[in-house]
Amino acid sequence: MGGIDCGILKLPCGLNIFVWLLLHNAVKTNEYHYRLNLGPQSPCSFCGLNNENVEHLFLSCWKSQMVWNLVSSAYGKAINLSQGIASGFWLQQEVSGNDLFAQSLIASTLWFLWKARCNKVFNNDQLVYSKVSQMAVGYVREFFYAPSPNLSKNFILYNFQFADSPILFTDAIFNDDTSMAGLSFIFSDFKANIICAGSSRSHVSSYVEAAASSLCFALQNEANGVRNVKTILCPCAELVRVVQTGDCMDDWRLNLQIEVIKGIMDTLLVPKILFVPSDWNRPARSLAIHGLNHHEISLFHHGRELPRWLMKTFNLSGLSF
Ligand SMILES: *[C@@H]1O[C@H](CO)[C@@H](O)[C@H](O)[C@H]1NC(C)=O
Ligand SMILES: *[C@@H]1O[C@H](CO)[C@@H](O)[C@H](O)[C@H]1NC(C)=O
Ligand SMILES: *[C@@H]1O[C@H](CO)[C@@H](O)[C@H](O)[C@H]1NC(C)=O
């Protein structure tokens, strides 16, 4: 198969290059190293049974198969990889029946399988099927359904003014299977200029707790009050209701966290808290995905530190630094 141009799939350029390497059998699997006399003939990093070549590692290994099953069921349609990976047939819709979304999904799954394999080799992280599949599916959705241009910016411009600003966006993604959440926040002024943004991850047991943790995380970054936040936007309607009404939840840990939130809000002279659909603030959603995938807390004071794919989401939404 000839080279594919960077950008054929609706995915970041780096991922297209990875696909290109796969098609040329140039991904540095154990067998690749062995072939070039760069290492011993070590078995598959996932199953430890077969030789680790591209077709085995990414496709026929029973552990990878578990991931493909999850991806396929999340997608709701069959994915056709019957001719293997390196042949590239899966990239031809006329032959394989895979449409552009399915092709992008396959590429993304391959990429996250590769990352999981490298994390296993270098950090001894165990492969978590659901985590890999959710990251792969989420990643494609993020790119495939490009947001309406300037959506977040227009949302801010049409709904808020100087007196409502700074505005604090929070978001959270919750992974039910791993009980991990990605947390994020963005402080913006009333002209959609970002003051500061951050992401992190946390162990939680429900989506509401994820949203509460995210709010806590954001408020703790504001605890010194220098930004003087006036409006808080939260994507979890249940949490907004509880904070507004003072109702109790069933979960004592959650109640404790909500008390902390209310305490900080009091010291900040009670900014107003409102529900916002996540779709209206995709940058915060993307940051939460970033948070889920990284162990450490990330804080962004200048846009230049943002990974490129995040920068792109921010740009598309019309937010600027
Ligand atoms: C899957 O792709 C192969 C070519 O790679 C093709 O021959 C086959 O018909 C496809 N199967 C389906 C169900 O579309
Ligand atoms: C988005 O905002 C930028 C900067 O204000 C503007 O140049 C651009 O035309 C806008 N895009 C659309 C599609 O409205
Ligand atoms: C985002 O926009 C800024 C300036 O508006 C530009 O410098 C930067 O290259 C853009 N980044 C991407 C990934 O498009």
Side-chain angles (χ1 to χ4, degrees), residues 11 16 39 51 53 59 63-64 100 116 118 121 125 135 144 158 162 188 195-196 224 254 261 267 300:
L11 289 169
N16 278 294
N51 284 349
N53 56 40
L59 194 56
K63 294 199 167 187
S64 300
L100 191 57
C118 293
V121 172
D125 288 350
M135 290 198 300
F144 210 80
Y158 296 151
F162 177 70
S188 163
I195 301 163
C196 172
N224 49 12
L254 197 48
I261 290 171
T267 66
F300 304 103

Coordinates of all heavy atoms in Angstrom, one line a residue, residues 11 16 39 51 53 59 63-64 100 116 118 121 125 135 144 158 162 188 195-196 224 254 261 267 300:
L11 N -8.2 12.8 12.1 CA -7.5 12.6 13.3 C -6.2 13.4 13.3 O -5.9 13.9 12.2 CB -7.1 11.1 13.4 CG -8.2 10.1 13.7 CD1 -7.7 8.7 13.6 CD2 -8.8 10.3 15.1
N16 N -2.0 9.9 12.1 CA -1.9 9.5 10.7 C -0.5 9.0 10.4 O -0.4 8.0 9.6 CB -2.3 10.7 9.7 CG -3.8 10.9 9.6 OD1 -4.4 10.0 9.0 ND2 -4.3 12.0 10.1
G39 N 17.3 -6.3 19.5 CA 16.8 -6.8 20.8 C 16.5 -8.3 20.6 O 16.6 -8.9 19.5
N51 N 4.9 -14.3 19.2 CA 5.8 -13.3 18.8 C 5.1 -11.9 18.7 O 3.9 -11.9 18.2 CB 6.4 -13.6 17.4 CG 7.4 -14.7 17.5 OD1 7.8 -15.0 18.6 ND2 7.8 -15.2 16.4
N53 N 4.5 -9.2 16.7 CA 4.5 -8.5 15.5 C 3.2 -7.7 15.4 O 2.3 -7.8 16.2 CB 4.7 -9.4 14.3 CG 3.6 -10.5 14.2 OD1 2.5 -10.2 14.5 ND2 4.1 -11.7 13.9
L59 N -4.1 -7.2 16.7 CA -5.3 -7.8 16.2 C -5.6 -9.2 16.8 O -6.6 -9.4 17.4 CB -5.2 -7.9 14.7 CG -6.5 -8.2 13.9 CD1 -7.6 -7.2 14.3 CD2 -6.3 -8.2 12.4
K63 N -6.0 -10.4 24.1 CA -6.3 -9.2 24.9 C -6.7 -8.1 24.0 O -7.5 -7.3 24.4 CB -5.0 -8.9 25.7 CG -4.7 -10.0 26.8 CD -3.8 -9.5 27.9 CE -3.8 -10.4 29.0 NZ -3.1 -9.9 30.2
S64 N -6.0 -7.9 22.9 CA -6.4 -6.9 21.9 C -7.9 -7.1 21.4 O -8.6 -6.2 21.3 CB -5.5 -6.8 20.7 OG -4.2 -6.5 21.2
L100 N -15.5 6.4 6.8 CA -14.4 7.3 7.4 C -14.4 7.2 8.9 O -13.4 7.2 9.5 CB -14.6 8.7 6.8 CG -13.4 9.6 7.1 CD1 -12.1 9.0 6.5 CD2 -13.6 11.0 6.5
A116 N -1.0 1.7 25.3 CA -1.2 0.8 26.4 C 0.0 -0.2 26.4 O 0.5 -0.6 27.5 CB -2.5 0.1 26.3
C118 N 3.0 0.3 25.3 CA 4.3 1.0 25.7 C 4.2 1.3 27.2 O 5.2 1.1 27.9 CB 4.5 2.3 25.0 SG 4.9 2.0 23.2
V121 N 5.1 -1.9 28.9 CA 6.6 -2.2 28.8 C 7.4 -1.3 29.7 O 8.3 -1.8 30.4 CB 7.0 -2.1 27.3 CG1 8.6 -2.2 27.2 CG2 6.4 -3.2 26.5
D125 N 2.3 -0.7 33.6 CA 0.8 -0.5 33.7 C 0.1 -1.7 33.1 O 0.4 -2.0 32.0 CB 0.4 0.8 33.0 CG 0.9 2.0 33.8 OD1 1.4 1.9 34.9 OD2 0.8 3.1 33.2
M135 N -11.0 5.5 25.5 CA -10.2 6.6 25.1 C -10.2 6.6 23.5 O -10.3 7.7 22.9 CB -8.7 6.4 25.6 CG -8.7 6.7 27.1 SD -7.1 7.1 27.7 CE -6.2 5.6 27.3
F144 N -14.1 13.9 15.1 CA -15.0 13.7 14.0 C -16.1 14.7 13.9 O -16.4 15.2 12.9 CB -15.5 12.3 14.0 CG -15.8 11.7 12.7 CD1 -14.7 11.3 11.9 CD2 -17.0 11.8 12.1 CE1 -15.0 10.8 10.6 CE2 -17.3 11.3 10.8 CZ -16.2 10.8 10.1
Y158 N -22.9 36.1 24.2 CA -24.4 36.3 24.2 C -25.0 36.3 25.6 O -26.1 36.8 25.8 CB -25.1 35.3 23.3 CG -24.7 35.4 21.9 CD1 -24.8 34.3 21.0 CD2 -24.3 36.7 21.3 CE1 -24.4 34.5 19.7 CE2 -23.9 36.8 20.0 CZ -24.0 35.7 19.2 OH -23.6 35.8 17.9
F162 N -19.5 41.9 31.6 CA -18.4 42.2 32.5 C -18.7 41.8 34.0 O -17.9 41.2 34.6 CB -18.1 43.7 32.4 CG -17.0 44.1 33.4 CD1 -15.7 43.7 33.2 CD2 -17.2 44.9 34.5 CE1 -14.6 44.0 34.0 CE2 -16.2 45.2 35.4 CZ -14.9 44.8 35.1
S188 N -12.5 32.1 32.4 CA -12.5 32.9 31.2 C -13.0 34.3 31.6 O -13.8 34.4 32.5 CB -13.5 32.3 30.2 OG -13.8 33.2 29.2
I195 N -8.1 32.8 31.2 CA -7.2 33.4 32.2 C -6.3 32.2 32.7 O -5.1 32.4 32.8 CB -8.0 34.0 33.4 CG1 -8.9 35.1 32.9 CG2 -7.1 34.4 34.5 CD1 -10.0 35.5 33.8
C196 N -6.9 31.1 32.9 CA -6.2 30.0 33.4 C -7.0 28.7 33.2 O -8.2 28.8 33.1 CB -5.9 30.2 34.9 SG -5.2 28.7 35.7
N224 N -7.5 31.4 46.8 CA -6.9 32.7 47.3 C -7.8 33.9 46.8 O -7.5 35.0 47.2 CB -5.5 32.8 46.9 CG -5.3 32.5 45.4 OD1 -6.3 32.4 44.7 ND2 -4.0 32.4 45.0
L254 N -20.0 12.4 49.5 CA -20.4 13.4 48.5 C -20.9 14.7 49.3 O -20.6 15.8 49.0 CB -21.5 12.9 47.6 CG -21.8 13.6 46.3 CD1 -20.5 14.0 45.6 CD2 -22.7 12.8 45.4
I261 N -17.3 22.6 49.1 CA -17.6 23.5 47.9 C -18.3 24.7 48.4 O -18.0 25.9 48.1 CB -18.5 22.7 46.9 CG1 -17.6 21.7 46.2 CG2 -19.0 23.7 45.9 CD1 -18.4 20.8 45.3
T267 N -16.5 31.9 51.1 CA -15.4 32.8 51.2 C -15.2 33.6 50.0 O -14.6 34.7 50.0 CB -14.0 32.0 51.5 OG1 -13.7 31.3 50.4 CG2 -14.2 31.2 52.8
F300 N -2.6 25.4 32.9 CA -2.2 26.1 31.7 C -2.4 27.6 31.9 O -3.6 28.0 32.0 CB -3.0 25.6 30.5 CG -2.8 24.1 30.2 CD1 -3.8 23.3 30.6 CD2 -1.7 23.6 29.7 CE1 -3.7 21.9 30.4 CE2 -1.5 22.2 29.5 CZ -2.6 21.4 29.8

